[in-house]
Amino acid sequence: MSASQSAVRSRAEAVKVSRMFDWFILWAIFFVVLGGYHIHYMLTGGDWDFWSDWKDRRLWVTVAPIVAMTFPAAVQACLWWRYRLPFGAVVCVLGLLLGEWINRYLNFWGWTYFPVNFVFPSIFMPSAIVLDVVLMMTGSMTATAVLGGMAWGLLFYPSNWAVIGPLHVPVEYNGMMMTLADLQGYHYVRTGTPEYIRMVEKGTLRTFGKDVAPVSAFFSAFVSILIYFLWHFFGRWFSSTDFVKSA
Amino acid sequence: MKLIKNNKVVKLSFVALLITVAAAMFYTPTASAHGEKSQAAFMRMRTIHWFDLNWSKEVVPVNDTMTISGKFFVFSGWPETVDKPEVSFLNIGIPGPVFIRAGSWIGGQAVPRSVSLELGETYDFKVLLKARRPGDWHVHTMLNVQGGGPIIGPGKWVTITGSMSDFVNNITTLTGETINLETYNLENTYFWHAFWYAIGLAWLFYWARKPMFIPRSIAVEAGKADSLITATDKKVAMGFMVGAVVLVAVSYANTEEQFPVTTPLQAGLLRGIKSIQMPAPTVSVKVEDATYRVPGRAMQMTVTITNNGDSSIRLGEFQTAGVRFMDSAVAQDDTGYPDDLLAEDGLTVSDNSPLAPGQTRTVNITASDAAWEVYRLADLIYDPDSRFAGLLFFWDESGNRQMTTIDAPLIPTFI
Ligand SMILES: [Cu+2]
């Protein structure tokens, strides 16, 4: 096919082809992101996202937003700077959550029989919406990294509290106090995840006393800002057209 | 316009994409625990010796409980290559949550968390299991050791009957409510996930309803990027952002109101676990030599036994890696120990007449059974540190049992 010949003959036809192309690309982005982001998040966030008894107010709050900041930053870079489309972060999170839910429902529940109320994924959507809107309103990478990255980290714990809060109700069990989430981890036997692997309530933020979640969230937000910059540049580089322009 | 240089690239990327999507979505947490045979023989012989095990039931209906109880000896000659059990967790080797672990105790102390164990000590333990999923399951004892991995003990087949849909897991919280942990908070979880997913989709389709990639790309390249975001877009976007933040705040406040009493997740190492005070053995055993005869699937050892007690004794059992070699003339198993791990007459002693107090005798002991091969204990001879270890049980005239340990090099013979 020569570059000088057009495949369409009328404006209407051009619009139609363009729309088909839109849906095709959106579909492709969605699944590429689903695959890449999901596997990345599983390898880095892994157990913190799999089990309710890992979702603590220190490390989960810190780790999850940091490792999840990657793909949204990169995809935003591509979709915004080339198309002015402000849904990079949301499309990432939609893909991630779909992949996670399929995995949790079919494998964790359907195959291994862990109850879904123990293995549900984390919520990222409010953080993603704010990140996209900040980029759209400011049109600035720096502002998005700083304001959006900060919001990304800070919104994470409160967004998830509606789901995990009920699991933090205390219970006395065999003479010890634990939360319902701890009890889920104890009841639903994981041979490959002994209790000592669990990274909860560890860290050096104890000097802040009772309110560790906000402190962890601020730390997470700060690192998310840095990760945003880094992955935004990956995204820019990846979406540059240098390698196809030659034709 | 030539969009992509090479068709091959497209195909390969597509394959790669499918692989990553599949790899992530097909991930399943480890459910199987049938690793005992693949675990190095020296690990099984020289770390944790499980004995006096008892599986309280062989058939359990859903919602009923059973216990696995017994003792384990933390071997004094713990191998250098394995981290000491300073941080360990009493687990149970079952294929996923077919039972729930309703309780577990070491030395009478509940152990939902990790514990610190001492070498050379014997502990009694009990695990209470509540049947959840019907099927035939191999139920193993298991201790996880940080830096050492899982140490899997003997397993026995247990059948769960009934239907999983009948399973309930009622718990009363400290706030006085009784909930079924099997389904608790499930609808709430689905609701919030569906809710936020719908909002995300709404945002995506707000943009996707208008032409996207080609026209917008052309506009951006023509320097008309600013025209692509309208005043309405900005209003809608602000609505989404403010709405999202407000909804988070409202959902947070509602949860706080509904569940005013919450505590952080509980964790931490339990120290000071009580061991059993085992009476000091009055019999002493010295291994002169030990060989493993590969063709005969038999281990032979020459030992010198001295009876320092006041009652004559006989050797009744040699136990290693969960396999019990017994001399039925002295002792029999009446606990329903798994057949494949029990050699009722697998122990032959050249002279097993009662050894009177104060006497010393050198005897040849043969422990032979197919279990050497089935459980790959014979692979010990290929281990870097070819030593074997085990427990010897002696019985005196009044039927009292005493336990001694042996730990010695093992020489293979191939003819
Ligand atoms: Cu097994």
Side-chain angles (χ1 to χ4, degrees):
Chain A
M1 183 169 80
S2 150
S4 56
Q5 273 175 333
S6 178
V8 291
R9 272 154 298 179
S10 67
R11 194 180 143 70
E13 206 174 344
V15 169
K16 209 176 136 202
V17 168
S18 157
R19 272 314 266 167
M20 264 175 60
F21 185 73
D22 274 355
W23 290 111
F24 175 74
I25 292 288
L26 188 62
W27 185 90
I29 291 173
F30 184 78
F31 282 97
V32 168
V33 163
L34 189 160
Y37 193 20
H38 187 195
I39 208 159
H40 161 88
Y41 187 59
M42 253 177 43
L43 291 176
T44 50
D47 286 309
W48 272 292
D49 205 78
F50 295 157
W51 317 107
S52 68
D53 69 334
W54 282 63
K55 293 179 176 169
D56 73 336
R57 52 187 186 156
R58 290 171 197 270
L59 280 167
W60 172 61
V61 182
T62 311
V63 173
I66 292 173
V67 299
M69 175 46 103
T70 51
F71 274 67
V75 175
Q76 271 197 339
C78 169
L79 292 182
W80 179 256
W81 300 109
R82 294 190 53 76
Y83 308 103
R84 287 292 186 273
L85 282 171
F87 57 67
V90 166
V91 82
C92 284
V93 169
L94 286 170
L96 175 68
L97 264 297
L98 181 70
E100 284 188 316
W101 269 109
I102 291 173
N103 177 233
R104 305 299 163 84
Y105 197 83
L106 296 184
N107 298 335
F108 281 66
W109 163 243
W111 185 252
T112 327
Y113 296 88
F114 284 108
V116 174
N117 63 1
F118 175 40
V119 297
F120 55 86
S122 312
I123 288 173
F124 278 105
M125 196 57 79
S127 305
I129 287 171
V130 172
L131 196 64
D132 275 344
V133 175
V134 170
L135 177 62
M136 190 196 117
M137 299 306 283
T138 64
S140 144
M141 177 191 71
T142 313
T144 310
V146 174
L147 299 174
M150 186 57 83
W152 175 269
L154 292 181
L155 277 172
F156 178 72
Y157 196 69
S159 316
N160 280 279
W161 188 247
V163 173
I164 66 160
L167 294 171
H168 283 230
V169 173
V171 52
E172 195 219 304
Y173 200 75
N174 293 337
M176 293 178 87
M177 191 194 81
M178 45 177 103
T179 64
L180 288 171
D182 293 312
L183 194 57
Q184 289 178 309
Y186 181 59
H187 274 177
Y188 299 97
V189 177
R190 292 160 294 187
T191 49
T193 315
E195 197 271 345
Y196 53 76
I197 288 188
R198 200 158 68 112
M199 300 271 281
V200 302
E201 294 295 318
K202 290 186 176 155
T204 50
L205 299 170
R206 295 192 195 279
T207 35
F208 294 93
K210 213 165 135 304
D211 298 316
V212 280
V215 181
S216 306
F218 263 106
F219 177 73
S220 180
F222 180 72
V223 180
S224 294
I225 292 172
L226 302 178
I227 299 287
Y228 186 92
F229 277 115
L230 186 65
W231 278 72
H232 192 87
F233 284 116
F234 288 161
R236 284 248 194 150
W237 174 81
F238 200 74
S239 62
S240 76
T241 48
D242 292 349
F243 19 71
V244 285
K245 234 173 210 162
S246 54
Chain B
M1 183 171 67
K2 193 173 178 187
L3 270 167
I4 298 160
K5 268 185 195 163
N6 194 331
N7 232 359
K8 231 179 190 167
V9 175
V10 178
K11 278 182 195 157
L12 282 176
S13 335
F14 191 67
V15 170
L17 167 66
L18 282 179
I19 291 171
T20 42
V21 170
M25 287 204 295
F26 291 125
Y27 171 80
T28 321
T30 12
S32 172
H34 294 261
E36 82 268 36
K37 288 176 205 171
S38 52
Q39 198 158 48
F42 81 97
M43 275 283 284
R44 285 177 283 152
M45 285 189 174
R46 293 177 53 203
T47 51
I48 300 290
H49 285 286
W50 306 86
F51 64 102
D52 287 353
L53 296 179
N54 184 56
W55 287 257
S56 71
K57 287 179 191 166
E58 282 172 9
V59 179
V60 202
V62 165
N63 281 324
D64 269 19
T65 57
M66 68 172 285
T67 57
I68 297 163
S69 54
K71 303 186 181 79
F72 62 86
F73 173 63
V74 184
F75 196 61
S76 346
W78 194 274
E80 276 305 304
T81 41
V82 181
D83 279 7
K84 297 209 167 58
E86 272 147 14
V87 181
S88 10
F89 179 63
L90 178 65
N91 213 329
I92 192 80
I94 48 176
V98 295
F99 287 93
I100 62 160
R101 174 174 34 219
S104 54
W105 295 266
I106 301 177
Q109 153 89 59
V111 287
R113 308 215 208 117
S114 303
V115 296
S116 196
L117 302 172
E118 309 270 340
L119 298 193
E121 295 289 328
T122 303
Y123 298 87
D124 67 0
F125 77 95
K126 186 169 94 175
V127 180
L128 177 69
L129 299 173
K130 182 173 170 185
R132 178 168 177 256
R133 193 179 144 212
D136 293 324
W137 314 112
H138 213 203
V139 181
H140 289 262
T141 59
M142 186 173 175
L143 188 86
N144 294 82
V145 173
Q146 191 167 45
I151 298 172
I152 302 161
K156 184 172 175 172
W157 289 99
V158 176
T159 304
I160 299 181
T161 57
S163 161
M164 190 170 148
S165 54
D166 295 332
F167 179 77
V168 282
N169 188 11
N170 285 346
I171 300 291
T172 303
T173 65
L174 283 175
T175 52
E177 278 164 287
T178 300
I179 52 114
N180 178 6
L181 197 55
E182 187 77 1
T183 51
Y184 172 71
N185 197 35
L186 193 58
E187 270 172 36
N188 181 52
T189 305
Y190 284 137
F191 171 80
W192 284 109
H193 272 273
F195 180 82
W196 285 114
Y197 207 88
I199 292 185
L201 280 178
W203 175 248
L204 181 65
F205 282 106
Y206 177 79
W207 296 97
R209 82 203 144 90
K210 295 179 283 191
M212 289 185 286
F213 298 100
I214 295 170
R216 293 181 81 99
S217 171
I218 292 167
V220 170
E221 291 206 344
K224 290 187 269 183
D226 290 342
S227 69
L228 290 172
I229 304 288
T230 65
T232 320
D233 289 343
K234 286 188 175 171
K235 274 182 212 153
V236 170
M238 283 310 282
F240 266 90
M241 183 164 80
V242 173
V245 173
V246 168
L247 281 167
V248 166
V250 169
S251 75
Y252 184 88
N254 273 344
T255 311
E256 284 288 278
E257 200 187 303
Q258 232 189 313
F259 301 93
V261 181
T262 54
T263 53
L265 299 180
Q266 303 291 303
L269 189 68
L270 301 169
R271 291 182 192 278
I273 296 291
K274 267 208 233 77
S275 56
I276 309 173
Q277 286 309 312
M278 296 289 276
T282 57
V283 52
S284 69
V285 177
K286 186 172 175 273
V287 181
E288 309 292 347
D289 66 63
T291 54
Y292 180 74
R293 212 158 62 78
V294 178
R297 302 196 291 205
M299 200 195 83
Q300 224 160 54
M301 51 186 159
T302 309
V303 299
T304 301
I305 307 167
T306 306
N307 184 359
N308 303 312
D310 45 19
S311 173
S312 60
I313 48 139
R314 295 176 81 189
L315 176 62
E317 181 178 346
F318 167 60
Q319 186 180 124
T320 188
V323 184
R324 301 172 65 188
F325 301 90
M326 304 186 78
D327 181 345
S328 63
V330 180
Q332 296 96 31
D333 171 71
D334 55 4
T335 63
Y337 199 74
D339 288 340
D340 51 337
L341 294 166
L342 182 66
E344 284 150 317
D345 279 303
L347 189 71
T348 317
V349 186
S350 58
D351 176 4
N352 208 10
S353 58
L355 182 66
Q359 298 261 298
T360 297
R361 183 192 292 160
T362 300
V363 292
N364 279 315
I365 299 172
T366 309
S368 60
D369 192 72
W372 282 110
E373 293 296 322
V374 176
Y375 281 88
R376 294 168 66 177
L377 295 177
D379 290 4
L380 182 67
I381 57 181
Y382 305 110
D383 279 341
D385 185 3
S386 188
R387 290 177 80 82
F388 82 103
L391 309 175
L392 289 177
F393 292 98
F394 292 90
W395 274 261
D396 70 11
E397 284 160 60
S398 44
N400 293 319
R401 189 185 69 169
Q402 53 178 302
M403 181 183 103
T404 57
T405 58
I406 48 174
D407 180 6
L410 187 73
I411 314 293
T413 56
F414 296 95
I415 42 167

